[in-house]
């Protein structure tokens, strides 16, 4: 059977797909105790479902089962198996509790009857109480001063790089030197990006909450990679998200610029922990995120030789040299003290 060719979506198509994947179809009552939904999938370069997608879909399904006045404030999910981007996802929601102020739901995502994600979400009727937040880091370059993903990766003729450069629904502007093709020369377990969708989203606040959850899975393990001199395209590198937790503190629009600041307190036993904070451009803390991932560096001579060939090509490329020169001042920004 011939390998299917992947077509990178336009930015508008990518955002339409993001909105479409959050538009779940409710299935008829089958006499069981769970609410059931079908979540659509779209082609992806890896032919696997992006983890942020299934998180957003499982959370959206849970949102559909609570009264409108209750807002999601936290999710805790485990990725159990990789999802297949050619098959729809069934999401089943169990109504665990509806109290006076809080509701709890368990969402499970399935393909072919096999669970790929298990998650618990909590909802609250907003109420008064004490208020404080961490302060957004200072000395951050504005997103307009930083390169677009297409500028970083558009010159590379590879389906994954084309998707990262052009086909994602979110625009990412790296405040640190990007580590798609090369390791960071300044090793430290921290990184930050500006992010927003490439086109406006509907005004539904739940769409924006789910979209921010979706985007929170993009770069959360990057501080682990930076600390150890790894990068996303390192030949033979194996990276997989194991779990993901997010706490929403305030509402925000995913189609306005958001600052995502991340660090890694620990890595061991082929697992690395990333934690993150998401701020509005005005400095409001929107959400806190945590994720543990499997990180297995390549072993053996074959991977080493492939990397040497790849690095020769990258270092010889004029486009990469020009980018490093053009943005080196912005990428020297060190915002964590």
């Amino acid at each position: 059977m011939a390998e299917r060719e992947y077509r990178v979506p336009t930015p508008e198509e990518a955002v339409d797909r993001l909105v479409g994947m959050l538009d779940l179809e409710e299935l008829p009552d089958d006499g069981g105790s769970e609410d059931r939904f079908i979540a659509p999938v779209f082609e992806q370069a890896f032919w696997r479902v992006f983890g942020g997608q299934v998180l957003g879909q499982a959370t959206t399904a849970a949102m559909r089962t609570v009264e409108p006045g209750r807002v999601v404030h936290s999710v805790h999910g485990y990725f159990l198996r990789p999802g297949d981007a050619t098959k729809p996802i069934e999401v089943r929601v169990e109504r665990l509790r509806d109290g006076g102020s809080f509701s709890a739901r368990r969402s499970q995502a399935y393909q072919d009857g096999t669970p790929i994600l298990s998650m618990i979400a909590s909802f609250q009727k907003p109420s008064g109480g004490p208020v404080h937040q961490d302060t957004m880091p200072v000395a951050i370059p504005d997103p307009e001063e930083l390169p677009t993903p297409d500028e970083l990766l558009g010159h590379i003729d590879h389906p994954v790089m084309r998707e990262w450069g052009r086909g994602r629904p979110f625009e990412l502007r790296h405040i640190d030197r990007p580590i798609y093709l090369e390791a960071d020369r300044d090793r430290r377990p921290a990184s930050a990006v500006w992010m927003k969708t490439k086109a406006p989203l509907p005004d539904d606040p739940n769409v924006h909450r789910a979209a921010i959850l979706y985007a929170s899975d993009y770069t959360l393990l990057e501080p682990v990679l930076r600390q150890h001199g790894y990068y996303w395209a390192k030949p033979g590198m194996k990276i997989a998200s194991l779990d993901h937790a997010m706490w929403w503190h305030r509402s925000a629009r995913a189609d306005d610029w958001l600052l995502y600041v991340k660090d890694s307190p620990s890595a061991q036993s082929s697992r690395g922990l990333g934690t993150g904070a998401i701020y509005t451009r005005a400095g409001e803390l929107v959400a806190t995120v945590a994720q543990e991932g499997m990180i297995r560096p390549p072993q053996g001579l074959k991977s080493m030789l492939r990397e040497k060939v790849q690095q020769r090509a990258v270092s010889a490329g004029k486009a990469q040299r020009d980018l490093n020169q053009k943005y080196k001042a912005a990428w020297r920004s060190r915002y964590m003290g």
Side-chain angles (χ1 to χ4, degrees):
M1 181 177 177
E3 185 177 346
R4 294 177 61 184
E5 183 178 351
Y6 171 68
R7 185 185 72 81
V8 177
T10 66
E12 293 76 16
E13 288 173 334
V15 175
D16 285 345
R17 289 181 180 186
L18 173 64
V19 175
M21 70 180 59
L22 299 175
D23 185 14
L24 310 186
E25 176 189 350
E26 187 166 3
L27 295 174
D29 186 354
D30 64 352
S33 60
E34 297 173 317
D35 299 88
R36 297 161 56 241
F37 302 86
I38 288 292
V41 295
F42 297 92
E43 293 181 350
Q44 298 178 38
F46 287 110
W47 300 106
R48 288 187 174 185
V49 176
F50 173 56
Q53 172 184 330
V54 69
L55 279 168
Q57 291 173 325
T59 302
T60 298
M63 290 172 178
R64 297 269 295 270
T65 70
V66 299
E67 61 183 67
R70 300 195 176 206
V71 176
V72 65
H73 69 88
S74 70
V75 298
H76 300 260
Y78 281 89
F79 299 105
L80 304 177
R81 293 173 181 83
D84 185 337
T86 67
K87 299 177 180 178
I89 298 169
E90 181 182 358
V91 183
R92 305 175 193 171
V93 180
E94 181 181 357
R95 304 188 184 209
L96 297 178
R97 178 177 183 268
D98 285 302
S101 299
F102 291 88
S103 293
R105 298 290 186 266
R106 177 183 290 115
S107 288
Q108 308 252 68
Y110 295 83
Q111 284 187 321
D112 295 328
T114 301
I116 62 173
L117 174 84
S118 182
M119 187 192 80
I120 289 182
S122 184
F123 298 78
Q124 182 194 17
K125 184 187 299 182
S127 62
V131 176
H132 77 274
Q133 68 158 74
D134 281 348
T135 303
M136 186 172 81
V138 298
I140 299 285
D142 291 330
E144 294 82 7
E145 300 174 48
L146 300 165
T148 67
D150 192 29
E151 188 177 358
L152 289 173
L153 299 169
H155 59 285
I156 303 172
D157 187 17
H158 186 281
V160 173
M161 295 300 163
R162 290 200 303 269
E163 180 176 272
W164 290 354
R166 303 188 189 113
R168 284 173 164 176
F170 273 80
E171 179 99 356
L172 300 181
R173 302 285 181 97
H174 290 266
I175 292 161
D176 307 271
R177 188 170 180 272
I179 58 168
Y180 294 114
L181 302 170
E182 298 178 287
D184 195 342
R185 296 164 188 169
D186 181 7
R187 294 191 184 187
R188 67 195 206 109
S191 68
V193 297
W194 288 102
M195 61 185 188
K196 74 177 182 69
T197 57
K198 295 178 178 177
L201 296 178
D203 288 334
D204 182 351
N206 279 338
V207 170
H208 290 266
R209 293 182 185 108
I212 292 170
L213 175 59
Y214 173 101
S216 71
D217 188 37
Y218 274 140
T219 58
L220 192 45
L221 295 178
E222 201 161 273
V224 184
L225 303 184
R226 288 182 183 277
Q227 172 67 13
H228 295 277
Y230 302 145
Y231 53 99
W232 292 107
K234 185 178 178 69
M237 193 78 188
K238 294 182 179 179
I239 304 169
S241 303
L242 300 174
D243 62 10
H244 196 99
M246 182 161 165
W247 297 262
W248 286 263
H249 310 307
R250 295 166 180 82
S251 294
R253 294 192 67 94
D255 50 11
D256 288 336
W257 284 115
L258 298 169
L259 177 66
Y260 193 13
V261 182
K262 299 145 290 179
D263 63 13
S264 175
S266 180
Q268 69 296 306
S269 192
S270 298
R271 303 190 323 275
L273 179 64
T275 61
I278 299 174
Y279 297 88
T280 67
R281 200 163 183 173
E284 294 179 312
L285 180 60
V286 175
T288 302
V289 196
Q291 181 182 95
E292 190 170 49
M294 181 200 77
I295 298 177
R296 288 181 178 158
Q299 304 291 330
L301 182 61
K302 184 177 180 180
S303 294
M304 188 189 310
L305 293 174
R306 286 176 58 202
E307 182 171 23
K308 284 182 180 291
V309 171
Q310 177 176 293
Q311 288 307 298
R312 244 186 252 117
V314 169
S315 60
K318 183 177 183 302
Q320 192 66 39
R321 293 200 310 273
D322 289 348
L323 283 167
N324 292 339
Q325 180 65 27
K326 181 177 180 181
Y327 293 105
K328 66 180 181 181
W331 287 339
R332 284 195 186 118
S333 169
R334 290 309 178 198
Y335 42 85
M336 297 293 285

